[in-house]
Amino acid sequence: MSALPLDETGDVLIKPLSAHIGAEIHGVDLTHPLTPSQVSAIRAALLKWRVVFFREQFLSHEQHVAFSAQFGELTVGHPVFGHVDGHPEVYSIAKHRKATRFEGEPIRRPWSGWHTDVTAAVNPPFASILRGVTIPPYGGDTQWTNLVIAYQKLSAPLRGFIDGLRGVHRFTPPPGAAATSEFVDAVQRRSLVSEHPLVRVHPETGERALYVSPTFLKHVVSLTARESQALLELLWEHVTRPDFTVRFKWEPGSLAFWDNRSTAHLAPTDIFDLDFDRQLYRTTLVGDVPVGPDGRASVSIEGSPVEAAAAFALN
């Protein structure tokens, strides 16, 4: 019988959760500053496993921000939908967020709801750090997928075709649903539209990731509407294959830290069939401008880059 695949780096214990993505990290207390070796071990695990999880970390907003700042510069909570009062770096992920709810029943497809955070911006966040506070006793799991392995598992001819393609990302309601007034007001106040490569070269590892956020990517540049639809639906179906994913069951005090450059994730919808409340809080770290295999960087069509929270507070 083989041993459990654990990786011990000093006092940091890393426990992988699936073949391609996800690991739990034990042996650290996130309420206090980490040592340089702990920061290094966590960052290495993030690059390898794409999303890492911590349990029983009961952080305040201030401690959440302090933990996040050890890995990069924090953005404002959300560049379009705001932040928690008094905490410009923190965004509330509540069960009934008015700004991101829609009217009507959206068309449900296998990839519905999957997304990479804020890809409508020209410099999407490098990472997102989500903290569970009020958690249902069951339901409400979040899933992540590995966009690097998804790219690698495509056929060589298809990889060669999409390596030079680019797509337009923006905030819009899902197909079949209508925007609420809160959503329209928020998007009009801070319109963000960007053109990104369909394949992104990871700035730290050099790996290629299939950068096709299903919620935000609307069409492929230079293709006809039908060609674009067919290609994107093929890619979206591919990136959400179960064998590329990990599913996380939240508990109070759980924390998920994911690399936004190489993952997409799916927020739960089963919580709306339950009477339980659900409240999480997220911070994000300032990201760079994506670059494709051809060396071409993303470009902004509308809006400006996502600012650091410190810069946002001065405006």
Side-chain angles (χ1 to χ4, degrees):
M1 185 174 180
S2 60
L4 191 65
L6 300 178
D7 180 10
E8 295 190 60
T9 306
D11 52 355
V12 178
L13 180 65
I14 300 165
K15 177 184 176 183
L17 298 180
S18 74
H20 299 299
I21 184 171
E24 283 193 1
I25 295 182
H26 302 274
V28 292
D29 180 356
L30 306 187
T31 65
H32 294 89
L34 301 173
T35 66
S37 64
Q38 289 174 330
V39 170
S40 178
I42 292 170
R43 192 176 187 97
L46 180 70
L47 292 176
K48 180 176 181 178
W49 294 106
R50 318 296 176 187
V51 55
V52 294
F53 306 105
F54 303 84
R55 298 285 191 184
E56 298 185 344
Q57 304 287 341
F58 299 97
L59 309 183
S60 65
H61 288 332
E62 292 82 2
Q63 290 168 331
H64 187 171
V65 169
F67 167 72
S68 305
Q70 295 171 96
F71 295 90
E73 192 173 20
L74 281 89
T75 73
V76 67
H78 194 290
V80 174
F81 302 117
H83 55 81
V84 172
D85 289 345
H87 299 277
E89 308 93 345
V90 181
Y91 180 52
S92 171
I93 308 289
K95 180 176 178 179
H96 295 290
R97 287 176 285 162
K98 290 184 179 180
T100 54
R101 296 276 73 82
F102 304 103
E103 297 174 344
E105 180 61 28
I107 299 171
R108 297 290 181 185
R109 298 186 173 104
W111 53 84
S112 294
W114 283 91
H115 65 284
T116 298
D117 283 335
V118 200
T119 58
V122 71
N123 63 329
F126 134 56
S128 301
I129 302 169
L130 186 61
R131 168 173 56 102
V133 176
T134 303
I135 304 299
Y138 52 87
D141 299 355
T142 305
Q143 299 175 68
W144 284 263
T145 190
N146 181 340
L147 300 179
V148 171
I149 194 67
Y151 175 81
Q152 293 172 355
K153 293 290 187 178
L154 291 173
S155 67
L158 186 52
R159 290 199 304 268
F161 175 59
I162 65 173
D163 274 350
L165 295 179
R166 298 164 72 84
V168 173
H169 298 239
R170 66 172 73 231
F171 286 99
T172 61
T180 61
S181 59
E182 291 89 353
F183 180 91
V184 172
D185 290 346
V187 171
Q188 287 180 343
R189 283 195 307 269
R190 182 76 193 278
S191 179
L192 291 174
V193 183
S194 296
E195 180 186 295
H196 295 301
L198 292 196
V199 177
R200 176 178 187 173
V201 178
H202 195 288
E204 293 189 68
T205 67
E207 298 166 305
R208 296 184 183 187
L210 195 49
Y211 204 59
V212 291
S213 177
T215 296
F216 299 124
L217 175 53
K218 303 306 175 184
H219 69 269
V220 180
V221 176
S222 300
L223 298 189
T224 68
R226 183 68 185 106
E227 290 169 344
S228 174
Q229 178 190 28
L231 177 61
L232 289 180
E233 289 187 354
L234 183 153
L235 295 177
W236 290 336
E237 180 183 274
H238 177 73
V239 299
T240 56
R241 274 176 43 176
D243 49 322
F244 301 159
T245 69
V246 67
R247 184 177 184 126
F248 184 64
K249 179 168 180 55
W250 292 92
E251 299 171 348
S254 295
L255 187 141
F257 182 2
W258 66 93
D259 189 338
N260 207 50
R261 304 163 297 187
S262 60
T263 63
H265 60 281
L266 178 65
T269 55
D270 64 337
I271 56 176
F272 300 107
D273 294 326
L274 300 173
D275 294 329
F276 308 111
D277 197 7
R278 185 177 186 269
Q279 176 68 64
L280 301 93
Y281 293 97
R282 190 189 74 192
T283 59
T284 51
L285 303 179
V286 175
D288 58 344
V289 176
V291 175
D294 57 3
R296 296 172 62 202
S298 300
V299 295
S300 175
I301 298 172
E302 293 181 23
S304 54
V306 176
E307 299 173 305
F312 179 87
L314 296 175
N315 293 337

